[in-house]
Amino acid sequence: MADERRPSVIVSDLEIVYRVFGAKKRGGAKQGGRTSMLQRLLRLGNRRGSMGATEIRAVKGVSFVAREGESIGIIGRNGSGKSTLLRAVAGLLPPTKGKVWVDGRAALLGVNAVLIPGLSGERNIMIGGQALGLSAHEVKQRYQEIVDFSGLEDHIHLPMSAYSSGMAARLRFAISTAAVPDVLIVDEALATGDATFRARSSERIKEIRQHAGTVFLVSHSNQQIRSICNR
């Protein structure tokens, strides 16, 4: 029987190629044990011609269709291209070849780029919530819910730079899911949480799916994938 749910993500023959540039080492005469200014200028002028590019094919020929309400697990070895694939789905990497189509807004858990380690968790909630498209008033309305979900009541006024990796991951997840995204991409973020937080996160993911959201989850835990994902 055909699945009649609306497609939320379509990836067609996706290929992502990185180009890594490197310069050859060059010898040269030195004056007084130091490279002369003239040599340095000549080296800078010739650098473009001396640099070669190595191509690394991170993702090759990937195609799939994800539908509303699905929770999809992504499993693979380190360096196999999981994160690269999902960054392309989130619109953060342009395809070298192929196409990525997303119906709605994709959030790659979700607000790392705008959170500022030197600011308090409280300030980062305001910044991150507005980066997700909430108004300042809406963020204030959901502020206590975000704090309670993260479990950081006693630390929310401290700078994020003072948080452990687990504390920071809990806050990022709480902020990212404050506004239900059309597509939520969770890349290893749940691995740093304790059992209680993982249980709360699983319930939040179920809520997102019930609102016709699509979830992608990267994890090295086969048990976690099987408990949260249906595909």
Side-chain angles (χ1 to χ4, degrees):
M1 183 175 177
D3 192 335
E4 297 181 355
R5 289 176 294 180
R6 179 184 174 87
S8 55
V9 177
I10 299 174
V11 174
S12 177
D13 197 24
L14 177 66
E15 189 167 303
I16 302 288
V17 176
Y18 292 114
R19 287 186 176 181
V20 180
F21 292 89
K24 296 179 181 179
K25 292 184 178 179
R26 290 174 174 266
K30 297 183 180 180
Q31 295 180 353
R34 301 178 66 180
T35 305
S36 71
M37 179 63 72
L38 176 60
Q39 285 177 316
R40 277 187 264 177
L41 291 172
L42 289 172
R43 186 174 300 173
L44 287 171
N46 292 330
R47 181 165 294 172
R48 178 172 295 182
S50 69
M51 296 182 73
T54 301
E55 290 192 345
I56 299 175
R57 189 163 274 97
V59 174
K60 182 179 180 181
V62 174
S63 300
F64 64 86
V65 176
R67 298 182 181 276
E68 292 178 339
E70 281 195 304
S71 182
I72 300 172
I74 309 289
I75 303 175
R77 298 174 181 170
N78 288 337
S80 62
K82 303 184 301 296
S83 296
T84 300
L85 168 64
L86 295 180
R87 286 175 65 82
V89 172
L92 301 176
L93 281 178
T96 306
K97 177 185 173 185
K99 299 289 184 181
V100 177
W101 178 85
V102 178
D103 183 18
R105 181 177 60 86
L108 175 63
L109 190 73
V111 291
N112 289 1
V114 297
L115 298 187
I116 302 173
L119 297 182
S120 67
E122 179 181 22
R123 289 290 301 139
N124 274 299
I125 288 174
M126 296 301 300
I127 293 170
Q130 290 179 79
L132 292 172
L134 298 173
S135 67
H137 178 68
E138 288 173 324
V139 179
K140 289 177 181 177
Q141 284 184 317
R142 303 181 195 193
Y143 172 81
Q144 194 57 49
E145 178 188 347
I146 294 171
V147 174
D148 292 343
F149 188 91
S150 69
L152 295 174
E153 296 89 344
D154 297 332
H155 304 91
I156 202 65
H157 300 295
L158 295 176
M160 276 194 69
S161 56
Y163 291 0
S164 68
S165 59
M167 293 165 69
R170 277 154 39 200
L171 183 60
R172 286 195 296 269
F173 187 92
I175 296 171
S176 297
T177 56
V180 176
D182 301 299
V183 177
L184 175 66
I185 300 168
V186 184
D187 191 352
E188 292 290 350
L190 304 187
T192 53
D194 57 23
T196 301
F197 176 71
R198 287 198 297 271
R200 289 203 303 269
S201 301
S202 297
E203 288 302 314
R204 181 62 64 88
I205 287 174
K206 289 178 183 177
E207 291 174 13
I208 292 171
R209 288 173 56 196
Q210 288 169 359
H211 286 85
T214 304
V215 178
F216 290 92
L217 174 64
V218 174
S219 175
H220 287 293
S221 169
N222 190 45
Q223 181 181 359
Q224 188 176 64
I225 289 285
R226 289 181 179 276
S227 65
I228 294 177
C229 300
N230 64 341
R231 180 177 167 195

